[in-house]
Amino acid sequence: MQNIDYFNSATVEKMQKLPNSKWLRYPKDVIPLWLANPDFIIAPEIKQALIRAVEASDLYYNNDDMAREAMAEKINRVNNLEVSPSDIMITQGVDPYIWLAVREACNPGDEVVLTNPMYGEFNNVLDPLGVKARYWELSEAEGYRFDAEQLKKLIGSKTKAIGVCNPHNPTGRVMNLEELKAIADIAVDHKLKVFVDELWEDVIFDDRKHITLASLNPEIEAQTSTAWGVSKTFGVAGLYLGYVCITDPETLTRFRKYGKCIQRGSTTLARAAAPVMLDKRLDWWRRDMITHLHRIREICYERLNEIPGVALPKFEGTYVPLIRFDHDMSSREMFEYLLREAKVALAPGSNYGSKGEGYQRICIATSETIINETISRIEVALKSL
């Protein structure tokens, strides 16, 4: 199976003909790199697991024991946490988890600390729950460094939790040990819950090491819930499969109680495919994907940074970095301009907070042909400004 190049241009371009909302949202002459969904066809091992489940009529109500066993084994092996299947809760992806984490930690009127910019769902859940944000601002000029002194100043009497996204969407930072230890120490000192989105753990560049926050010490583990998924690595967002690890029994009980209000875990098919995506059978896919993404990243660095008024800051993880546009336009205006004049659909940086203003988020998990055509279109369109 590894003899096929699943990431070359010819293979990637087959995605344009498949039922995929990323390629269906805009007219066919638009290149859509707005959604954090890769343009790679599904790994054959995943397809085979799904087919076997259908052939076995695994479509009735069923338990999730096998999937949770695979998840616990992966967390022990990869994330350096000693957990059992009883510590795992399956979710319909990471987004429902964020709602659950805020609901469990906060009452109306309480506060959570979130970075600015930040993946949008962290902010979207706040108003419905009556919770307010205190913003930990990240700056491109400082390399999107997570400054512990700034975090300390944000902790107030109503602060109940800290939200963490690592690797960070949309800045692409991979938090280092010093930064993670600082968050852990502050959370333990102030008795704050920490909810962590580690969805992008497989998408890390330059041989960096992903560190799971909850693995640092028993104290922070007891105050932390952590969520993972499979959609960004394998392009299977339609399976709606995420999983949460919580080793504090009382917290997990509350998660499950509130979870009944908004979700019922995932499908039997998703759970049947989980062991294939979580063990070592697809290590070849992870390796080949990162090799390909390194090539795409270098193309983006070289070509985007040569365009006047455009800069692609260094990013260490994810395939959805921010591009800075130094033009007299808001992010929304630049998005509309590029859509109209370049036939390229990106995502306005302002979708991710005020610190995203002036930027566009781009998904680079595509082919060399598509990324080169995208950059060429942007370059031509900007010459008219």
Side-chain angles (χ1 to χ4, degrees):
M1 291 179 184
Q2 293 95 322
N3 292 332
I4 300 174
D5 186 351
Y6 289 88
F7 306 97
N8 68 19
S9 294
T11 306
V12 166
E13 284 157 18
K14 293 179 182 178
M15 288 292 294
Q16 300 172 45
K17 301 178 178 67
L18 299 179
N20 181 345
S21 64
K22 179 178 178 180
W23 286 90
L24 296 175
R25 180 166 183 169
Y26 296 102
K28 290 185 178 181
D29 60 347
V30 172
I31 299 177
L33 300 183
W34 60 280
L35 185 64
N37 195 53
D39 290 337
F40 311 137
I41 63 175
I42 308 304
E45 291 90 337
I46 298 172
K47 291 182 180 180
Q48 290 165 3
L50 294 170
I51 291 169
R52 286 195 298 269
V54 172
E55 290 176 340
S57 297
D58 189 6
L59 299 170
Y60 302 97
Y61 286 124
N62 200 351
N63 66 50
D64 58 10
D65 293 350
M66 181 179 68
R68 287 188 297 109
E69 288 172 4
M71 291 163 180
E73 188 281 329
K74 173 264 176 184
I75 293 169
N76 278 275
R77 174 172 49 87
V78 175
N79 303 105
N80 198 31
L81 280 171
E82 294 184 10
V83 302
S84 69
S86 62
D87 299 317
I88 308 300
M89 176 180 176
I90 294 179
T91 63
Q92 294 166 339
V94 170
D95 284 6
Y97 156 74
I98 297 171
W99 186 94
L100 286 169
V102 176
R103 174 66 182 86
E104 190 279 327
C106 299
N107 292 313
D110 287 339
E111 299 172 341
V112 299
V113 174
L114 301 176
T115 62
N116 179 15
M118 184 65 133
Y119 171 57
E121 194 60 25
F122 280 84
N123 283 292
N124 293 343
V125 304
L126 300 184
D127 282 348
L129 292 171
V131 175
K132 298 180 180 180
R134 299 185 70 120
Y135 287 111
W136 187 7
E137 296 194 345
L138 306 180
S139 167
E140 180 200 338
E142 297 179 356
Y144 294 119
R145 181 173 60 91
F146 294 82
D147 179 58
E149 294 306 312
Q150 184 188 160
L151 175 59
K152 290 176 184 177
K153 294 175 183 177
L154 293 171
I155 308 300
S157 61
K158 294 183 179 181
T159 308
K160 303 299 180 185
I162 302 171
V164 176
C165 182
N166 180 41
H168 190 269
N169 176 7
T171 70
R173 267 300 315 282
V174 176
M175 300 179 77
N176 61 40
L177 181 59
E178 180 183 0
E179 291 168 325
L180 291 167
K181 281 184 174 179
I183 294 173
D185 291 343
I186 291 168
V188 170
D189 288 346
H190 292 274
K191 297 181 173 57
L192 303 177
K193 295 291 182 71
V194 183
F195 53 104
V196 188
D197 167 5
E198 296 189 358
L199 181 60
W200 294 92
E201 63 176 339
D202 288 330
V203 188
I204 294 179
F205 298 106
D206 308 316
D207 295 321
R208 288 182 173 81
K209 173 69 174 175
H210 175 261
I211 303 169
T212 292
L213 176 63
S215 70
L216 296 183
N217 58 63
E219 292 77 21
I220 192 60
E221 178 186 336
Q223 294 174 212
T224 300
S225 61
T226 311
W228 298 272
V230 292
S231 60
K232 304 312 175 191
T233 303
F234 301 111
V236 291
L239 290 181
Y240 291 98
L241 179 64
Y243 56 106
V244 179
C245 179
I246 304 169
T247 57
D248 177 67
E250 294 182 359
T251 301
L252 182 56
T253 296
R254 289 191 292 272
F255 262 73
R256 287 178 171 151
K257 173 185 174 182
Y258 299 137
K260 293 178 181 179
C261 301
I262 64 166
Q263 61 108 43
R264 300 177 67 181
S266 195
T267 67
T268 56
L269 296 182
R271 298 198 299 262
V276 173
M277 293 184 280
L278 295 172
D279 65 20
K280 296 183 177 182
R281 276 173 282 184
L282 282 170
D283 279 354
W284 69 268
W285 176 276
R286 298 179 182 89
R287 180 197 66 234
D288 290 356
M289 177 185 65
I290 291 299
T291 298
H292 174 77
L293 289 174
H294 270 98
R295 291 199 298 269
I296 300 296
R297 187 181 65 155
E298 289 309 308
I299 292 170
C300 292
Y301 280 152
E302 180 179 346
R303 295 202 57 197
L304 285 169
N305 287 320
E306 288 180 348
I307 301 174
V310 176
L312 175 62
K314 294 287 185 180
F315 60 104
E316 303 164 347
T318 85
Y319 45 68
V320 285
L322 292 173
I323 306 172
R324 188 177 78 246
F325 288 83
D326 295 325
H327 299 77
D328 190 21
M329 288 185 178
S330 68
S331 288
R332 175 58 57 177
E333 290 168 339
M334 178 57 73
F335 162 79
E336 292 173 350
Y337 179 81
L338 293 175
L339 181 61
R340 182 178 66 251
E341 301 296 331
K343 303 298 182 184
V344 168
L346 305 181
S350 53
N351 289 355
Y352 310 98
S354 62
K355 296 293 285 187
E357 185 57 68
Y359 296 80
Q360 301 287 312
R361 196 186 76 163
I362 183 173
C363 177
I364 70 163
T366 190
S367 70
E368 292 187 32
T369 299
I370 291 172
I371 203 68
N372 274 307
E373 175 64 17
T374 298
I375 297 171
S376 293
R377 291 187 185 190
I378 291 171
E379 184 173 21
V380 170
L382 292 180
K383 287 180 179 178
S384 300
L385 291 178

